[in-house]
Amino acid sequence: MIQENLSEIRSKIPDSVTLVAVSKTKPIEDVMEAYEAGQRIFGENKVQELVEKYESLPKDIEWHMIGHLQRNKVKYITPFVKLIHGVDSLRLLQEIDKQAAKVDRVQEVLLQMHIAEESTKFGLDENELIEILDQLNEYPHVKVIGLMGMATFSNDEGKVEREFQYLKSLFDKYKSEYQLNTLSMGMSGDFEIAIKNGSTMVRVGSSIFGKRNYN
Ligand SMILES: *Cc1c(COP(=O)(O)O)cnc(C)c1O
């Protein structure tokens, strides 16, 4: 099933858009099944699970941390993680810089923007974004390559679309000045709307691996 799901999703995604297969809560065997179908980029949202999967799976996998990241756990993933999607504070970025320096890496990250109506979702507003972008030269072991956002979980496609359009407009406004090239938006329920509105990277879990029992 996983391989069929993957090829169906791939058929809906242009080559210019990167597919992150979100394997959180799913066993190693499921990740291997997707791997054997050619998938090499996987996303996880819990540090411990990410580290365990990294250790037991092939080393040519590119691991992305897509969830909320606590500062005290950054050190476990900076040795290997390819991209951290959810950076939503300067303090977190400072810790990533410090830990990446220790392992002599420049850690690529995305800044997470608050675009959804729900107040529970994490993310920066535009002023906080600019404040961080303007201090980046103080953090040479972090490279901000783009923005990430999550739309409201809603059946109202117009609303989801407006939220993605807002994120895209921020991306366009700042991309040349700050050399941003990645816009991570779109999940199982809304990746087609996200792509239509300029996403360059989608994070798709349940449409590939099936429903999860917990988040
Ligand atoms: C779980 C998760 C996804 C994938 O969600 P699906 O609806 O299963 O595709 C994408 N992004 C983030 C940040 C997630 O936590």
Side-chain angles (χ1 to χ4, degrees), residues 22 24 45 66-67 112 148 150 153 186-189 203-207 210 212 215:
V22 177
K24 62 189 187 192
N45 72 338
I66 62 168
Q112 181 167 1
M148 178 267 203
M150 288 168 84
F153 187 72
M187 321 188 355
S188 290
R203 312 174 307 270
V204 179
S206 46
S207 294
R212 290 177 297 271
N215 277 305

Side-chain angles (χ1 to χ4, degrees), residues 9-31:
I9 300 285
R10 285 207 189 109
S11 72
K12 296 177 179 161
I13 299 179
D15 289 341
S16 56
V17 173
T18 303
L19 171 61
V20 180
V22 177
S23 49
K24 62 189 187 192
T25 81
K26 298 296 177 181
I28 297 289
E29 301 80 70
D30 288 10
V31 181

